[in-house]
Amino acid sequence: MGPLGLGTLVVKPVRHVVHVAELSVVESAALGPLLQRVAAAVTKVVQPEQVYVCLWSHANAAPGHLHFVVQPATKADMARFDAFGPALQMAMFREGAVPDETEVEALCERLGAALSLSPHGA
């Protein structure tokens, strides 16, 4: 996910949704377990200090497609930027560094394996 570091993933509804309040009962019931599974896979593979799950839904200051950013927050990144939480994300965006494509591909394989092993709905 761009400059937010290796292991950052996006979870979003298949259907175009702009507001959480627009999610159907089925979509909202699936969202919590899905976010938990993705965060658990990121935790297992990256082993960060914390995994941030943030709702972002703006494009050019107007609500856009709903998506959740699942981002590993590592001690190394917090020390490098002397920041955490939203300040860490802003510092990473300002720097604009993008992970190496080979590292991304290798991590995607590990995350895919972790997700396929995690129980659905647990």
Side-chain angles (χ1 to χ4, degrees), residues 27-44:
E27 290 167 332
S28 61
L31 184 60
L34 177 59
L35 288 171
Q36 185 279 329
R37 283 184 59 227
V38 172
V42 169
T43 298
K44 179 179 181 176

Side-chain angles (χ1 to χ4, degrees), residues 26-65:
V26 172
E27 290 167 332
S28 61
L31 184 60
L34 177 59
L35 288 171
Q36 185 279 329
R37 283 184 59 227
V38 172
V42 169
T43 298
K44 179 179 181 176
V45 172
V46 180
Q47 299 181 341
E49 175 75 10
Q50 180 61 281
V51 175
Y52 298 156
V53 178
C54 309
L55 166 62
W56 292 356
S57 178
H58 276 91
N60 299 319
H65 188 81

Side-chain angles (χ1 to χ4, degrees), residues 5-91:
L6 195 58
T8 300
L9 302 173
V10 171
V11 174
K12 61 184 181 176
V14 174
R15 179 176 70 88
H16 178 67
V17 179
V18 177
H19 305 282
V20 172
E22 294 174 353
L23 292 170
S24 70
V25 171
V26 172
E27 290 167 332
S28 61
L31 184 60
L34 177 59
L35 288 171
Q36 185 279 329
R37 283 184 59 227
V38 172
V42 169
T43 298
K44 179 179 181 176
V45 172
V46 180
Q47 299 181 341
E49 175 75 10
Q50 180 61 281
V51 175
Y52 298 156
V53 178
C54 309
L55 166 62
W56 292 356
S57 178
H58 276 91
N60 299 319
H65 188 81
L66 188 71
H67 63 280
F68 293 84
V69 176
V70 180
Q71 177 191 13
T74 65
K75 285 184 179 184
D77 282 337
M78 289 185 283
R80 187 168 117 230
F81 291 101
D82 190 28
F84 56 90
L88 174 62
Q89 292 178 330
M90 293 306 299

